Amino acid sequence: GELRLEVDGYPHSGNLSVNLEIRVPRTMSIAIDHGVGEVSIEDVNGDIDLDSGVGEVDIRGDSMAFRSATIELGVGESQLSVDGKSIEGNSFLFIGGETEWKKGRGQSTLSVEVGVGEATVKLD
């Protein structure tokens, strides 16, 4: 019931790049614990729980699938929009903040936590 993928033991100096594309059934729930880099999620309608240390997060999904979406950000910028409407969060000069939407009719929840970076969530 779980797929665990780790990239371990690579040198921390130099320019190492790992690009992965993982396809899952649309209704599957996913949890990602990501250290550094970019994460993009499209068309997943199950629960999404993403924790990224440093980097950029971009999530696009169907608003009808979700009952809530939350972005927590340490330092950086976040954007949350639902059906074309921007949801305002609380932050001060790009330091800390949380943006929440809890008015959905779907079954799934979406939670994004980014330490430093950018998070964009668009549910249409």
Side-chain angles (χ1 to χ4, degrees):
E2 178 178 303
L3 169 66
R4 180 177 295 268
L5 178 64
E6 295 183 29
V7 177
D8 198 15
Y10 61 88
H12 294 285
S13 62
N15 292 328
L16 176 70
S17 177
V18 177
N19 294 315
L20 302 172
E21 182 175 330
I22 301 172
R23 295 177 184 258
V24 299
R26 183 176 289 233
T27 57
M28 180 172 277
S29 294
I30 60 174
I32 298 173
D33 186 2
H34 180 259
V36 176
E38 297 177 23
V39 176
S40 178
I41 299 172
E42 295 179 18
D43 297 325
V44 173
N45 292 336
D47 292 335
I48 298 174
D49 184 8
L50 180 107
D51 187 354
S52 179
V54 177
E56 295 180 25
V57 172
D58 185 30
I59 299 176
R60 315 247 173 198
D62 181 358
S63 64
M64 298 301 289
F66 293 92
R67 76 171 173 264
S68 67
T70 304
I71 301 174
E72 292 185 41
L73 189 64
V75 176
E77 293 184 63
S78 67
Q79 294 179 325
L80 172 59
S81 66
V82 179
D83 295 326
K85 296 180 183 176
S86 181
I87 309 298
E88 296 297 323
N90 60 354
S91 65
F92 178 73
L93 298 175
F94 305 111
I95 298 175
E98 182 176 75
T99 306
E100 287 185 309
W101 168 74
K102 294 186 176 188
K103 297 180 181 179
R105 295 185 175 156
Q107 297 296 314
S108 300
T109 61
L110 189 153
S111 174
V112 176
E113 185 173 339
V114 178
V116 177
E118 296 179 17
T120 302
V121 175
K122 291 186 179 181
L123 303 177
D124 293 312

